[in-house]
């Protein structure tokens, strides 16, 4: 009997010991978003752009790759794009975001939308593809040059957005300001809808070409893209080096000829709260699976161009991956 009691007591002690060990394990790993293995989170949020642009559909594909390859559930959500995305990363409302390289430069410097409030907790992950500045109007309009925008009703995107600043800077090299046009702050869908309905005359759209919103418009209303002259392109690049010369090829939106314009670069930015290991895994996942992306802009997402246009600090995890791949010393 004493032997049975002793065995029973020993069994109870073993159960209690295992229960306490389990509690200790749960406590160390945590249950919140930041839980998981060590500092590996369970969830990540990626802020993209409007549903009719390039960021949103491409972001959805990239988020799926990150989810599949890292085991971290990554959700791509629509947003007002670059400036708002930087603010979301800065404020801890998201971990990864699509941003124009020029807007990221403004954030680091504390100018334009970030006047007097430089952002120091957002880092670069990768450069992705060129974002073409497209000034779109109806094919039968009398707008054939930037100067022809004077006095017209023109959508320039949300105030302080990347598109807005692009419009401002292009007008500047033509000796114009926002005061010379009737400014409308519309998103891409509203802009193309306004052109179709005749409520606006033209719109600045900064996005990877072909852009869904313009393709949708071109399907019902013939369009043209207003060209930039070579001397103005040169002046713009000299003053703002993050621009690059670009072309909207003939055939895009049923255009009959190539159209000369400029582009900035789309990049992925990441919060410095993301650990080095996780940022490394994300970077590796993207570039080692880029060939599975179906979006038209995927062809530009290569290791060789991963650092193009990035004039800010890289996340240490991304830097580690690039050094392993031999594109950084």
């Amino acid at each position: 009997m004493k032997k049975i009691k002793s065995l029973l007591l020993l069994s109870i002690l073993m159960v209690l010991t295992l229960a306490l060990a389990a509690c200790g394990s749960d406590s160390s790993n945590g249950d919140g978003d930041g839980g998981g293995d060590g500092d590996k989170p369970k969830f990540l949020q990626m802020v993209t752009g409007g549903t009719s642009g390039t960021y949103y559909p491409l972001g959805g594909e990239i988020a799926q790759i990150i989810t599949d390859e890292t085991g971290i559930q990554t959700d791509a959500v629509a947003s007002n794009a670059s400036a708002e995305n930087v603010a979301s990363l800065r404020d801890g409302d998201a971990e990864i975001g699509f941003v124009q390289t020029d807007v990221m430069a403004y954030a680091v410097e504390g100018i334009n939308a970030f006047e007097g409030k430089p952002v120091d907790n957002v880092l670069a992950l990768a450069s992705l593809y060129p974002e073409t500045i497209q000034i779109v109007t109806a094919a039968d309009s009398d707008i054939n040059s930037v100067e022809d925008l004077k006095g017209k009703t023109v959508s320039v995107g949300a105030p302080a957005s990347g598109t807005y600043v692009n419009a401002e800077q292009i007008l500047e090299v033509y000796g114009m300001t926002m005061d010379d046009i009737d400014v409308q702050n519309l998103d891409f869908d509203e802009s193309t809808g306004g052109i179709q309905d005749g409520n606006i005359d033209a719109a600045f759209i900064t996005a990877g070409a072909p852009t869904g919103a313009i393709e949708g418009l071109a399907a019902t209303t013939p369009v043209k893209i207003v060209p930039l002259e070579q001397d103005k392109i040169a002046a713009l690049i000299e003053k703002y080096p993050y621009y690059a010369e670009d072309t909207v090829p003939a055939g895009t939106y049923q255009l009959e000829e190539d159209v000369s314009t400029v582009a900035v670069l789309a990049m992925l930015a990441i919060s410095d709260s993301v650990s080095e290991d996780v940022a490394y895994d994300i970077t590796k996942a993207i570039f080692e699976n880029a060939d599975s992306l179906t979006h038209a802009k995927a062809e530009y997402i290569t290791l060789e161009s991963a650092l193009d246009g990035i004039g800010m600090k890289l996340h240490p995890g991304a830097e580690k991956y690039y050094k392993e791949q031999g594109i950084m010393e």
Side-chain angles (χ1 to χ4, degrees), residues 228-251:
L228 304 186
E229 290 79 9
Q230 289 300 317
D231 61 328
K232 302 300 184 183
I233 290 173
L236 188 68
I237 294 172
E238 181 177 0
K239 185 161 187 180
Y240 304 107
Y242 39 73
Y243 284 102
E245 188 169 350
D246 199 9
T247 301
V248 180

Side-chain angles (χ1 to χ4, degrees), residues 57-58 60-66 68-69 284-299 301:
L58 181 59
E61 289 195 61
I62 292 176
Q64 190 61 55
I65 285 176
I66 296 171
D68 293 342
E69 297 298 318
K284 180 178 181 179
I286 292 169
F287 286 102
E288 296 190 0
N289 295 276
D291 59 355
S292 69
L293 294 167
T294 63
H295 194 281
K297 285 300 166 187
E299 66 176 295
I301 303 177

Side-chain angles (χ1 to χ4, degrees), residues 6-165:
S6 296
L7 288 172
L8 183 58
L9 181 60
L10 181 59
S11 297
I12 292 170
L13 287 171
M14 288 178 67
V15 170
L16 288 171
T17 300
L18 289 171
L20 287 171
C23 288
S25 175
D26 288 346
S27 175
S28 62
N29 282 337
D31 291 325
D33 290 353
D37 299 328
D39 56 6
K40 183 176 178 179
K42 292 180 181 178
F43 305 102
L44 292 171
Q45 181 154 286
M46 173 187 288
V47 281
T48 60
T51 56
S52 60
T54 300
Y55 287 176
Y56 183 75
L58 181 59
E61 289 195 61
I62 292 176
Q64 190 61 55
I65 285 176
I66 296 171
T67 299
D68 293 342
E69 297 298 318
T70 69
I72 304 170
Q73 178 62 45
T74 304
D75 297 321
V77 297
S79 73
N80 287 324
S82 294
E84 181 178 288
N85 291 352
V86 175
S88 293
L89 296 175
R90 177 196 63 201
D91 298 340
D93 296 325
E95 289 74 39
I96 312 171
F98 278 71
V99 187
Q100 289 177 203
T101 50
D102 54 333
V103 175
M104 196 65 246
Y106 306 150
V108 172
E109 296 173 29
I111 60 175
N112 292 327
F114 305 92
E115 186 68 44
K117 297 178 180 179
V119 175
D120 61 5
N121 63 338
V122 178
L123 304 172
L125 192 76
S127 180
L128 298 177
Y129 63 86
E131 288 197 89
T132 309
I133 288 87
Q134 303 161 89
I135 307 174
V136 61
T137 186
D140 60 359
S141 81
D142 59 356
I143 300 172
N144 297 299
S145 67
V146 173
E147 289 97 337
D148 292 337
L149 294 174
K150 188 171 291 188
K152 303 292 187 182
T153 303
V154 184
S155 173
V156 295
S161 67
T163 299
Y164 184 96
V165 176

Side-chain angles (χ1 to χ4, degrees), residues 255-299:
L255 297 174
E256 294 183 359
E257 298 179 346
D258 290 353
V259 178
S260 296
T261 184
V262 291
V264 290
L265 287 163
M267 65 177 284
L268 282 178
I270 187 167
S271 167
D272 67 0
S273 66
V274 177
S275 74
E276 180 175 334
D277 287 346
V278 171
Y280 173 91
D281 289 344
I282 291 171
T283 310
K284 180 178 181 179
I286 292 169
F287 286 102
E288 296 190 0
N289 295 276
D291 59 355
S292 69
L293 294 167
T294 63
H295 194 281
K297 285 300 166 187
E299 66 176 295

